[in-house]
């Protein structure tokens, strides 16, 4: 089920303490409208009861879509630096709900799910688009690497992320470089579908990088660029 709770937050504009409804859990099978809201960028946009300013709440939720085989632990962008600990936490949550510590019935559901950890709404939205387009998320990440490799001026830095934002009719993948805190878009670029396909067609060349991207629930090339990461072995 989808779980909503009233919480108190500080309005970023007038700094008044206001009560808003925070989504702690989204079930996209039962509430496809919430999934659509996330894709449209209107989910968890709240208005201050004091000054009327609209703002988006940071995500802290679990997301389930059995039809598309997707399960996400969604964390605020600000917590990206804690991804190693949060990955363990997300794995624990998944194990309890659908993994080794769950009932046989829940495990049967879990067998069909790919659990993932994502940071921020654009990262979640990207995974939803990937689900719609029936792409493989690790291959999308490798497509980003292939593009970055061919762009010496790519704005790689902590706090700037490259996200899939749209699919073209011809299968082209539209990416944006954006500031993960302000949302400011720095650059938009398109990867031809042939680039994505070329990675699938050259499994040996990409094997090592694919293994490191797919290692754990945080399937995102950001882990290659941020902080200490997880120690080998
Ligand atoms: Zn306000």
């Amino acid at each position: 089920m989808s779980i909503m709770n009233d919480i108190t937050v500080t309005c970023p504009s007038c700094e008044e303490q206001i009560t808003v409804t925070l989504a702690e859990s989204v079930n996209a099978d039962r509430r496809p409208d919430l999934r659509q809201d996330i894709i449209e960028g209107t989910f968890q946009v709240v208005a201050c009861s004091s000054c009327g300013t609209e703002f988006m709440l940071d995500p802290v939720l679990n997301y389930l879509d059995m039809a598309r085989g997707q399960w996400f632990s969604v964390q605020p962008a600000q917590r990206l630096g804690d991804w190693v600990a949060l990955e363990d936490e997300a794995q624990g949550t998944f194990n309890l709900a659908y993994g080794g510590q769950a009932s046989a019935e829940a495990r049967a559901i879990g067998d069909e799910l790919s659990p993932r950890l994502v940071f921020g709404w654009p990262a979640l939205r990207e995974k939803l688009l990937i689900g719609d387009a029936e792409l493989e998320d690790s291959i999308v990440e490798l497509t980003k690497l292939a593009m970055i490799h061919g762009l010496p001026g790519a704005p790689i830095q902590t706090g700037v992320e490259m996200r899939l934002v749209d699919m073209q009719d011809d299968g082209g993948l539209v990416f944006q470089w954006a500031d993960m805190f302000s949302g400011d878009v720095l650059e938009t670029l398109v990867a031809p579908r042939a680039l994505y396909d070329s990675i699938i067609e050259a499994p040996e060349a990409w094997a090592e990088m694919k293994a490191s991207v797919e290692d754990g629930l945080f399937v995102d090339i950001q882990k290659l660029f941020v902080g200490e990461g997880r120690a080998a072995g």
Side-chain angles (χ1 to χ4, degrees):
M1 74 182 111
S2 301
I3 302 171
M4 309 283 170
N5 278 312
D6 284 351
I7 58 158
T8 302
V9 297
T10 306
C11 170
S13 181
C14 71
E15 298 185 351
E16 197 73 27
Q17 296 286 304
I18 56 167
T19 302
V20 295
T21 302
L22 180 75
E24 292 190 359
S25 175
V26 167
N27 183 321
D29 298 292
R30 292 186 192 165
R31 293 293 306 273
D33 58 313
L34 300 184
R35 180 178 186 280
Q36 200 54 38
D37 287 348
I38 293 169
I39 289 174
E40 286 167 14
T42 56
F43 188 59
Q44 294 277 264
V45 173
V46 297
C48 173
S49 52
S50 180
C51 72
T53 300
E54 289 197 338
F55 60 100
M56 191 178 255
L57 300 177
D58 286 332
V60 190
L61 61 96
N62 295 324
Y63 177 103
L64 172 67
D65 185 339
M66 289 193 286
R68 293 180 181 81
Q70 294 185 312
W71 182 92
F72 303 110
S73 168
V74 190
Q75 295 288 335
Q78 288 81 352
R79 298 206 65 191
L80 175 62
D82 302 326
W83 72 266
V84 172
L86 290 170
E87 191 174 60
D88 291 341
E89 201 178 297
Q91 184 71 62
T93 304
F94 183 80
N95 288 349
L96 275 175
Y98 301 105
Q101 292 161 272
S103 67
E105 191 184 342
R107 282 202 306 275
I109 294 171
D111 287 346
E112 306 297 320
L113 299 172
S114 300
R116 296 286 188 260
L117 168 66
V118 300
F119 291 90
W121 295 117
L124 176 59
R125 182 176 185 275
E126 172 181 62
K127 297 287 192 194
L128 301 189
L129 295 180
I130 287 170
D132 267 348
E134 297 182 353
L135 301 173
E136 215 182 307
D137 64 346
S138 61
I139 303 292
V140 171
E141 294 304 308
L142 297 177
T143 303
K144 295 178 190 177
L145 282 181
M147 294 191 78
I148 291 167
H149 190 66
L151 291 170
I156 301 169
Q157 52 184 289
T158 304
V160 174
E161 56 181 7
M162 184 182 185
R163 295 289 168 211
L164 181 74
V165 294
D166 201 5
M167 293 294 296
Q168 294 185 327
D169 292 342
D170 64 0
L173 293 83
V174 183
F175 291 100
Q176 268 177 359
W177 283 100
D179 185 299
M180 65 188 292
F181 304 109
S182 68
D184 291 346
V185 176
L186 308 177
E187 203 172 321
T188 300
L189 58 177
V190 179
R193 180 58 182 247
L195 181 61
Y196 175 93
D197 292 339
S198 74
I199 293 167
I200 296 174
E201 286 154 13
E204 281 170 28
W206 287 97
E208 200 178 325
M209 196 55 85
K210 187 166 190 275
S212 65
V213 166
E214 285 180 337
D215 181 29
L217 270 61
F218 186 37
V219 177
D220 192 314
I221 58 165
Q222 274 189 317
K223 68 183 173 188
L224 307 175
F225 304 111
V226 67
E228 305 266 310
R230 194 177 283 278

